[in-house]
């Protein structure tokens, strides 16, 4: 993408659409993707690990749920099918990504720029493959903007590559007063279960 990143608001790369196919929990997904959005050619390996190893919400979940940094919508699409009664906010700064996510997800998904989500909305779950490459200051600001919006007993599921600073991010989250337990390790990725301090014990780490 020559000088721009997937977190660019208005990608300059020509829009060239194609289909990304993947399976989660024995369900098949076929989503539209395009140049100028994150992991446009395949389901990102970190996102795949997150969707395979973190516990998906069940049909009784009513949310609201948040897909933070939704891209073209793979996490939101899975959450929408898994929890059809929940309202799911799919948030990104990339306008092309939001357009794709809108086409790729169900009627219970609200695609939005960060500033368009009402301040009054709290989330029972936050799911994210956070944009590590924006740099630590921006990443920390992003997480401090959204993690405090977890509802009481809410949980955030974050996936971070070990070689991109997963362990240091875990320490930082704990320094900010969150409970950040390692839920799983798989293929070089860590999945963290993040809660507000005092909102209940996190699951023990599961290595595989």
């Amino acid at each position: 993408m020559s000088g721009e990143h997937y977190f660019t608001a208005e990608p300059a790369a020509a829009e060239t659409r194609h289909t990304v196919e993947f399976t989660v929990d024995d369900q098949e997904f076929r989503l539209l993707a395009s140049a100028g959005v994150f992991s446009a050619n395949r389901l990102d390996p970190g996102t795949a690990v997150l969707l395979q190893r973190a516990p998906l919400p069940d049909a009784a979940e009513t949310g609201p749920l948040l897909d933070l940094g939704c891209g073209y919508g793979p996490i939101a699409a899975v959450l929408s099918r898994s929890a059809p009664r929940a309202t799911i906010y799919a948030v990104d700064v990339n306008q092309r990504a939001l357009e794709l996510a809108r086409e790729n997800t169900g009627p219970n998904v609200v695609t939005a720029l960060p500033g368009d989500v009402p301040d009054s909305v709290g989330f029972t779950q936050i799911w994210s493959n956070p944009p590590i490459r924006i740099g630590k200051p921006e990443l920390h600001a992003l997480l401090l903007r959204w993690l405090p919006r977890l509802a009481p007993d809410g949980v955030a599921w974050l996936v971070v590559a070990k070689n991109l600073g997963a362990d240091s991010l875990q320490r930082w989250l704990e320094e900010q007063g969150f409970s950040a337990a390692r839920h799983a390790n798989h293929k070089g990725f860590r999945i963290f279960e993040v809660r507000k301090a005092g909102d209940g014990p996190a699951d023990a780490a599961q290595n595989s």
Side-chain angles (χ1 to χ4, degrees), residues 56-104:
L56 294 172
D58 61 32
E61 173 66 57
T62 58
L65 311 179
L66 172 64
D67 175 2
L68 179 58
C70 66
Y72 59 89
I75 293 175
V78 173
L79 296 179
S80 173
R81 195 176 296 184
S82 192
R85 296 174 56 198
T87 298
I88 298 151
Y89 286 84
V91 171
D92 208 297
V93 298
N94 184 317
Q95 293 279 7
R96 184 176 299 170
L98 289 177
E99 292 170 7
L100 290 163
R102 192 171 299 117
E103 295 183 45
N104 285 329

Side-chain angles (χ1 to χ4, degrees), residues 175-194:
E175 290 168 359
Q176 306 312 305
F178 296 99
S179 165
R182 191 183 303 167
H183 173 77
N185 306 319
H186 191 63
K187 295 184 177 179
F189 293 94
R190 310 277 206 228
I191 295 177
F192 297 122
E193 177 183 350
V194 182

Side-chain angles (χ1 to χ4, degrees), residues 9-157:
E10 297 284 353
E15 185 169 5
T16 53
R17 291 191 171 198
H18 55 272
T19 301
V20 174
E21 300 182 7
F22 60 93
T23 301
V24 174
D25 201 23
D26 296 326
Q27 297 193 63
E28 296 181 356
F29 295 83
R30 298 179 76 254
L31 306 185
L32 290 172
S34 173
V37 303
F38 175 61
S39 194
N41 296 316
R42 61 172 180 165
L43 181 66
D44 175 74
T47 299
V49 168
L50 179 65
L51 292 172
Q52 293 163 1
R53 298 284 168 156
L56 294 172
D58 61 32
E61 173 66 57
T62 58
L65 311 179
L66 172 64
D67 175 2
L68 179 58
C70 66
Y72 59 89
I75 293 175
V78 173
L79 296 179
S80 173
R81 195 176 296 184
S82 192
R85 296 174 56 198
T87 298
I88 298 151
Y89 286 84
V91 171
D92 208 297
V93 298
N94 184 317
Q95 293 279 7
R96 184 176 299 170
L98 289 177
E99 292 170 7
L100 290 163
R102 192 171 299 117
E103 295 183 45
N104 285 329
T105 56
N108 60 329
V109 175
V110 178
T111 57
L113 293 168
D116 292 339
V117 180
D119 292 339
S120 59
V121 177
F123 302 99
T124 60
Q125 296 187 22
I126 295 174
W127 288 68
S128 187
N129 181 354
I132 299 296
R133 297 185 187 279
I134 61 177
K136 281 188 177 182
E138 291 83 0
L139 176 65
H140 291 172
L142 176 74
L143 294 175
L144 288 177
R145 176 177 185 175
W146 294 100
L147 291 178
R149 295 179 67 168
L150 282 170
D153 298 323
V155 59
W157 300 104

